Amino acid sequence: MPQSRAIAIFTDIDGTLLDHDTYSWTDARPALDRLKQLSIPLIAVSSKTLAELEHINQTSGLFDGLIGENGGVIALNGNVEQYGPASETVDRTREEIKSAVTVPVESFRTVSPEIIATETGLPLEDAIRAGQRHCSDPLIWQPAAKDIALARKIAEKHDLTLVKGGRFHTLCGPSSKGQAMRRMVERLSVTWLDDAPENKRQQRFTTIALGDSPNDIPMLAEADYAVQIPSKHGKRSMPLLDHPNLRVAPKPGPAGWNEAVNDILDQIIGPDPNTNKNSEVLHG
């Protein structure tokens, strides 16, 4: 690797690297180009399915590794590991929640791709991929606080969790983005550092994580540098967690992502000689 330290970047997708409304990552291009130039691995960490992430990567070539379904599945160099629960467990738990709460409950695993498209704003082909879930299930409902509390109790009874993301509450297993991140670092150490010069093979990765919602907290907590991307639609974001190196990006979405990543890389390895950009990131 060209830089003197081994670095890996883990990023949430929707509302973080991709714009909340347009799903565009164009404003992050300068930092993304810098990562490619420096051979810094970029890992997608998302509630999206592996099918969705693979499609994004086929069309964009952004990512070196994929973590899908909130840590339930990991893919690196064509090798897939699944940590999430059996789909039968997810379905049984959802149906119990549906019977217990006071509001109608549907989910990505129960509705048509057309409904998923309506709920998410995704094109139909993308909605089809979003429905190809194995170990998690975003709920489509309008719950009161008591419904959420009851659903969480039912999920825990089945050793599952109900995690709030940027758009949906997702029923998933006890695996988290943080646990999956630890496992991915282990796998990256084999893949990247074994190919590195001998004097770098004993290094550990310095990790940077970026996210915008509560389901990103385990990943942000695991990282050496944590970046909270503020909401595009809403009040000023309060810090999601206590972290010695937590930064709140100055802008939402890919623009904030770009500034935060470049700022941290400048701190770790020095300013990028290819740009005169002097970014500023507000510290949380």
Side-chain angles (χ1 to χ4, degrees):
M1 304 171 85
Q3 75 276 4
S4 60
R5 298 176 65 175
I7 300 169
I9 297 183
F10 293 78
T11 182
D12 176 53
I13 304 298
D14 291 346
T16 298
L17 178 57
L18 302 185
D19 182 87
H20 185 276
D21 298 322
T22 67
Y23 294 99
S24 170
W25 48 268
T26 301
D27 287 341
R29 185 184 294 274
L32 291 167
D33 288 345
R34 188 177 181 185
L35 299 184
K36 292 294 185 185
Q37 181 184 16
L38 293 172
S39 299
I40 295 175
L42 177 64
I43 311 301
V45 189
S46 177
S47 60
K48 289 182 181 294
T49 66
L50 193 56
E52 290 178 280
L53 294 175
E54 287 173 339
H55 177 71
I56 291 171
N57 218 25
Q58 286 167 3
T59 56
S60 69
L62 292 175
F63 304 111
D64 300 287
L66 308 172
I67 297 174
E69 298 196 47
N70 282 323
V73 62
I74 296 173
L76 182 67
N77 295 332
N79 297 315
V80 177
E81 298 178 5
Q82 181 168 328
Y83 296 97
S87 56
E88 293 82 3
T89 301
V90 174
D91 290 341
R92 184 168 60 250
T93 305
R94 182 195 61 248
E95 292 306 306
E96 188 171 335
I97 291 171
K98 187 174 182 178
S99 298
V101 299
T102 59
V103 295
V105 178
E106 294 293 349
S107 75
F108 280 34
R109 283 180 55 81
T110 62
V111 300
S112 68
E114 288 80 6
I115 293 177
I116 295 175
T118 298
E119 291 290 331
T120 61
L122 292 170
L124 183 58
E125 288 187 359
D126 291 342
I128 292 171
R129 285 183 280 267
Q132 294 175 14
R133 314 193 77 87
H134 300 289
C135 50
S136 67
D137 197 10
L139 302 184
I140 301 172
W141 61 339
Q142 297 296 325
K146 63 179 181 180
D147 297 312
I148 297 171
L150 180 55
R152 286 206 167 108
K153 284 186 179 179
I154 294 171
E156 290 170 3
K157 185 175 69 174
H158 294 279
D159 295 323
L160 301 181
T161 59
L162 188 69
V163 177
K164 178 67 169 67
R167 294 174 184 263
F168 302 98
H169 287 84
T170 298
L171 193 61
C172 53
S175 58
S176 71
K177 289 185 175 184
Q179 292 169 322
M181 178 178 165
R182 285 198 300 272
R183 175 57 182 153
M184 182 63 84
V185 168
E186 292 174 0
R187 293 184 61 177
L188 286 172
S189 297
V190 173
T191 302
W192 256 255
L193 297 185
D194 278 4
D195 291 334
E198 187 171 350
N199 66 337
K200 295 182 184 177
R201 291 181 189 174
Q202 300 305 313
Q203 293 186 37
R204 62 176 289 275
F205 274 97
T206 295
T207 54
I208 302 167
L210 303 97
D212 71 322
S213 61
N215 72 339
D216 295 316
I217 291 174
M219 173 181 68
L220 297 174
E222 192 69 28
D224 296 304
Y225 295 86
V227 178
Q228 181 176 329
I229 302 294
S231 172
K232 184 176 182 180
H233 304 292
K235 299 178 181 178
R236 176 177 170 82
S237 300
M238 297 297 293
L240 288 170
L241 74 164
D242 272 334
H243 189 292
N245 284 318
L246 175 67
R247 299 147 184 256
V248 179
K251 301 173 185 175
W257 195 100
N258 181 74
E259 291 196 28
V261 168
N262 272 322
D263 183 80
I264 295 171
L265 291 180
D266 287 350
Q267 179 180 338
I268 295 174
I269 62 177
D272 183 0
N274 297 317
T275 181
N276 294 322
K277 190 174 186 308
N278 182 22
S279 63
E280 178 181 0
V281 174
L282 303 180
H283 291 251

